[in-house]
Amino acid sequence: MNIKNHEILHEISRGAITTVYKARHLSLNRIVILKVLNPQWLREQDLLKRFKREARISAHLNHPNIVNVYDFAIEPDMVYISLEFVDGVSLEEYIRRHHPLSPEQIVSILTDMARALNYAHGKGVIHRDIKPANILIDDNFTARLTDFGLASFQDAPGVTSQGQSMGTPAYMPPELIRGEPAGPQSDLYSLGLTLYEMLSGHPPFRKENTAATLQAVLTETPPDIATLRPEAPGWLHELTRRLMEREPRNRPERIGQLLDILERETDTSLPAARRKKRTGRLTITALLLLAAGVLYFFPETTPPSPGSPPSITDTTRNRPDTLLARSPEKKTALPATESIPAKRGTETKKSPATRPAPPVARTGALYVSCTPWATVMLDGDSLDVTPMKRPLPLSAGSHILELINPNYKSRRFTLDIQAGRTDTLNVRLEPNFAYLMIKATPWARIYINGKYREDTPLEKSIIIPAGRNILKLVNPTLGSISDTIHARAGEQLEKHFSFKN
C-alpha cells in the first residue's frame, strides 16, 4: 500500500482523529512516521487549519532535540504529515521501565528539553503540551521533543478563547485552565511537572477523572519532591518547586534562566553529566503518542435543528466518574536494524500504481448542547468545547462521550451513532462547588487549600470546591487561623473569625 510518496510498512496506531503508520519515504529513501487524518474529518476546515499549523510550525524548527518534519500534504482526499522516525521509546515508557532514574539521567534529559524549548521560544513558538509522552529517548540517550499539534506562534492570534482549554489535563498549566493565553512560562510549568515525574515515577496530578485532575492542578499541592527522592540533589528539589509555581510570575522568566541554573549546578553538585550507556538497542516504536491528543478544534455558534434522539447511556448515573484513559495502543516491536533492499540495475521499473481512493467511512454526526460550557471528550480525545459551531462527524458505532467543566460534575455517556443521521444531545451539568462568605475581625488574607484568594472584607462570596477544604486566614500582625470546611455542592456558607491581640 502506498500513500503519495510513501510506502506503508505497517500501521502503528489508530486514534479518533489520526492513523499513524511506519512508512518509507520513497524520494528520501528513509524510514518515517506518517500521520494521516482519518477520512471523516477531511471537510472540517477548523481541523485542517490546525493540522496545517502543526506542519508549518514543525517544519519551521530544525534542532537536534526536536523531531523533524519532512513533508506534509493537505488535499481534498488526503491529509498527512511525514515525520522523522526516532528509534527509541517515549520518556513516559522509559520512566515506567527504569524508575528510579539517576540524577545524571534526569539532568541530561532536562538539559536536552531546555535546549529544545530555548530554540523553539527563540523562534516565537510555544509548545503548550510538554509531557513525558511527547519526549522521545533515542538509542543514544538523546531526548527529542515531538508533537507540536497544540503549538502556537507568540505573535499569532490565540487558538483558544475564554473558557476553552487545550492540552493534557495532568500537565496543563493553571493559566491555560483559567482561559489565559500561553507563554514561555507555560512550557516551563509543564516541564516542571515532567521533572517531578522523572524524580518520583508518577505525575503530581492525576485523579479519578478529568474534572478532578483540573481541579487538583488549580488547588492542590502535591507531596514535596524532597520527601519522595531525598537522595537527589537539593538544588534539583528546589528547581522542581520553582518550575511548578502556580503563578507564572513566580517561575523563571525564560528558558535561558533554566539553562543557566543547569550549567551552574551541574558544574558543582553533580559529576559531569554522563549519558547512560546503551544496554541494548531500544526497539519499541516511540511515536504511538502522535495518534492521540494532537489535533483539537474549539468552534462556537448555533446548533442545528435537533434530530431524533441518539441511543445514549449516561454511565455517570450508575457509577462514579472515571478518567477517560485511552485504550492501550498496540506497541509494535521493531527489529534492531532494518535493511532496505538495494535497487538492482537489472530490475525492471514498475509503472507507478494508481493510489486507490481512501475508503468512504460510514459516518453519522452528533451535536452537543451543554449548560454551562464543557469540554467534549470523545473516546479519550478532547475534540471540541460547547457551544459547538457544527455537529461532530463520527464513525458509526459505539463511542464514549464525557463532558468536563472543572467546577461542575462531569457527565459520561455511551453513544450508539447511526450512519447517515445527525443526533442532538442536550445536557445540563450539576454544580460541584459551594459559596463561602468569610468575615474576619479586623481583617485577613484568605487562603483556600494553600492558594491565596483575596483579602477581607469580601464584597461577595468566593467559590470553593465541593468537599473538604482547608481554610487559612493570615493577618501579618496578629498571626493566622486555620479551619477545615466541608461544603456540599450548591451550598452557601458563612464563617466568622476574630483575631485576638
Side-chain angles (χ1 to χ4, degrees):
M1 172 183 170
N2 282 14
I3 293 180
K4 286 293 185 181
N5 200 25
H6 297 80
E7 176 191 355
I8 301 302
L9 301 178
H10 62 79
E11 182 178 307
I12 294 174
S13 60
R14 185 176 293 268
I17 300 175
T18 59
T19 300
V20 177
Y21 301 96
K22 184 180 180 183
R24 179 179 289 111
H25 195 292
L26 298 177
S27 298
L28 299 175
N29 193 26
R30 63 174 58 177
I31 303 300
V32 298
I33 289 295
L34 192 67
K35 183 167 65 173
V36 181
L37 190 66
N38 291 338
Q40 65 265 34
W41 301 103
L42 289 172
R43 296 191 178 184
E44 289 296 324
Q45 292 304 313
D46 292 332
L47 190 57
L48 294 178
K49 286 176 184 175
R50 292 184 181 280
F51 204 96
K52 186 173 183 178
R53 189 184 66 252
E54 177 187 358
R56 183 170 63 95
I57 288 177
S58 300
H60 186 68
L61 305 174
N62 182 15
H63 188 274
N65 296 114
I66 295 176
V67 173
N68 292 315
V69 168
Y70 294 136
D71 191 11
F72 75 94
I74 298 180
E75 298 177 0
D77 64 342
M78 178 65 61
V79 175
Y80 70 79
I81 298 178
S82 179
L83 302 114
E84 177 185 7
F85 176 79
V86 176
D87 197 2
V89 294
S90 70
L91 177 58
E92 180 179 56
E93 177 68 12
Y94 193 86
I95 292 171
R96 188 185 68 79
R97 293 185 194 178
H98 301 289
H99 179 72
L101 276 60
S102 70
E104 292 85 358
Q105 289 177 302
I106 291 170
V107 168
S108 173
I109 294 167
L110 187 62
T111 302
D112 284 346
M113 286 302 94
R115 288 170 178 158
L117 288 173
N118 191 48
Y119 172 82
H121 291 178
K123 295 282 188 179
V125 174
I126 309 300
H127 187 280
R128 306 201 324 163
D129 198 21
I130 303 295
K131 58 183 178 181
N134 285 344
I135 297 169
L136 308 180
I137 309 298
D138 69 17
D139 56 0
N140 293 314
F141 205 76
T142 298
R144 311 282 298 281
L145 182 60
T146 188
D147 197 347
F148 281 78
L150 297 185
S152 62
F153 285 110
Q154 283 181 265
D155 56 357
V159 292
T160 58
S161 59
Q162 186 65 32
Q164 299 177 354
S165 58
M166 294 178 62
T168 305
Y171 303 92
M172 197 182 299
E175 60 268 25
L176 267 64
I177 298 174
R178 296 191 295 260
E180 299 166 11
Q185 289 162 309
S186 304
D187 281 349
L188 281 168
Y189 178 85
S190 299
L191 187 60
L193 300 190
T194 300
L195 173 56
Y196 186 102
E197 187 166 344
M198 285 195 286
L199 285 162
S200 68
H202 57 78
F205 304 110
R206 182 163 287 171
K207 301 295 182 179
E208 64 277 9
N209 57 53
T210 306
T213 299
L214 294 174
Q215 190 65 44
V217 172
L218 290 173
T219 62
E220 293 185 11
T221 301
D224 186 23
I225 196 62
T227 65
L228 300 178
R229 284 294 297 271
E231 80 283 4
W235 70 268
L236 209 49
H237 297 153
E238 181 55 35
L239 179 61
T240 306
R241 296 186 197 104
R242 191 175 171 199
L243 292 174
M244 288 174 57
E245 287 281 355
R246 281 202 183 92
E247 294 303 322
R249 65 177 179 270
N250 295 331
R251 303 170 205 151
E253 290 182 12
R254 53 186 178 81
I255 201 75
Q257 292 179 340
L258 173 58
L259 282 169
D260 292 342
I261 292 169
L262 289 169
E263 183 178 352
R264 180 178 69 249
E265 296 295 347
T266 51
D267 283 344
T268 58
S269 299
L270 286 175
R274 55 185 183 271
R275 303 284 187 186
K276 183 179 183 295
K277 291 185 179 178
R278 258 194 306 185
T279 55
R281 190 172 178 88
L282 301 174
T283 57
I284 302 296
T285 304
L287 284 173
L288 299 179
L289 55 98
L290 291 170
V294 291
L295 294 167
Y296 301 78
F297 61 96
F298 299 93
E300 46 184 311
T301 166
T302 358
S305 306
S308 50
S311 171
I312 296 172
T313 304
D314 183 353
T315 58
T316 57
R317 297 302 189 193
N318 304 318
R319 58 185 177 83
D321 294 327
T322 53
L323 177 63
L324 262 182
R326 294 181 180 86
S327 302
E329 295 170 329
K330 186 178 178 183
K331 298 182 187 283
T332 309
L334 305 178
T337 58
E338 201 157 339
S339 69
I340 301 173
K343 293 185 179 176
R344 303 178 183 224
T346 57
E347 274 184 335
T348 308
K349 248 183 160 179
K350 293 182 182 178
S351 57
T354 306
R355 176 172 56 83
V360 178
R362 288 176 54 77
T363 62
L366 177 70
Y367 183 85
V368 179
S369 173
C370 184
T371 305
W373 71 269
T375 299
V376 180
M377 306 283 294
L378 184 77
D379 299 331
D381 289 329
S382 174
L383 295 186
D384 205 343
V385 167
T386 62
M388 293 167 57
K389 185 176 181 180
R390 61 176 67 87
L392 291 171
L394 302 175
S395 57
S398 180
H399 297 274
I400 301 295
L401 176 89
E402 191 173 14
L403 300 175
I404 304 293
N405 180 313
N407 289 323
Y408 290 78
K409 294 178 182 178
S410 61
R411 295 282 300 276
R412 194 179 185 198
F413 304 89
T414 299
L415 310 176
D416 184 17
I417 298 298
Q418 303 297 317
R421 193 173 83 177
T422 297
D423 293 313
T424 299
L425 176 63
N426 295 298
V427 179
R428 179 178 292 276
L429 299 181
E430 297 177 13
N432 199 34
F433 58 87
Y435 300 93
L436 175 63
M437 171 57 73
I438 295 175
K439 296 181 179 179
T441 305
W443 71 275
R445 292 174 182 155
I446 302 172
Y447 293 82
I448 304 289
N449 300 320
K451 183 178 180 181
Y452 170 74
R453 299 297 292 270
E454 54 185 297
D455 292 352
T456 63
L458 296 177
E459 293 183 1
K460 60 181 181 179
S461 299
I462 57 178
I463 293 176
I464 62 173
R468 180 175 178 269
N469 293 273
I470 303 300
L471 169 68
K472 186 174 183 180
L473 303 180
V474 177
N475 183 299
T477 305
L478 301 176
S480 65
I481 299 173
S482 296
D483 194 10
T484 300
I485 296 176
H486 296 273
R488 294 188 299 272
E491 188 176 16
Q492 174 75 58
L493 301 171
E494 185 168 317
K495 296 284 184 178
H496 297 256
F497 300 92
S498 180
F499 287 89
K500 296 179 180 179
N501 290 321

